[in-house]
Amino acid sequence: MEIRTTFCDLKRKEVINVRDGARLGHICDLEIDVCTGTILSIIVPGETKMLGILKCGENVCIPFCHIKKFGEDVILVELPPLL
């Protein structure tokens, strides 16, 4: 069974870390291997402050191997704890 989706549909899903329940945000970009057409990682915006207007952190790049589940409304990832 082949499952397909669009980038627009992916952008609507919230990314959540299953280790701590942290809401990481929504996908803002993808890293793709143009030779094979495979997705290497998803990218979510870094933390923001002041009502989300001023950007505080850099984008978070999540390797595709850390994605555990594509749900109807969320994407579950498992990221290692920050040191």
Side-chain angles (χ1 to χ4, degrees), residues 1 5 9 19 25 28-29 34 39 50 56 66 73 78 81:
M1 179 169 106
T5 191
D9 288 337
R19 282 196 179 228
C28 66
D29 207 350
V34 294
I39 297 174
M50 291 191 71
C56 171
H66 289 289
D73 298 324
E78 187 171 2

Side-chain angles (χ1 to χ4, degrees), residues 14-70:
E14 187 169 21
V15 181
I16 298 177
N17 188 356
V18 296
R19 282 196 179 228
D20 59 6
R23 302 170 103 175
L24 303 175
H26 293 81
I27 295 176
C28 66
D29 207 350
L30 298 173
E31 183 180 13
I32 299 173
D33 182 324
V34 294
C35 293
T36 63
T38 57
I39 297 174
L40 302 175
S41 59
I42 60 174
I43 301 168
V44 295
E47 293 182 33
T48 58
K49 59 181 181 179
M50 291 191 71
L51 302 174
I53 298 171
L54 297 175
K55 192 164 184 161
C56 171
E58 294 196 15
N59 290 340
V60 178
C61 186
I62 302 169
F64 197 81
C65 63
H66 289 289
I67 297 173
K68 297 303 174 192
K69 177 101 174 153
F70 286 95

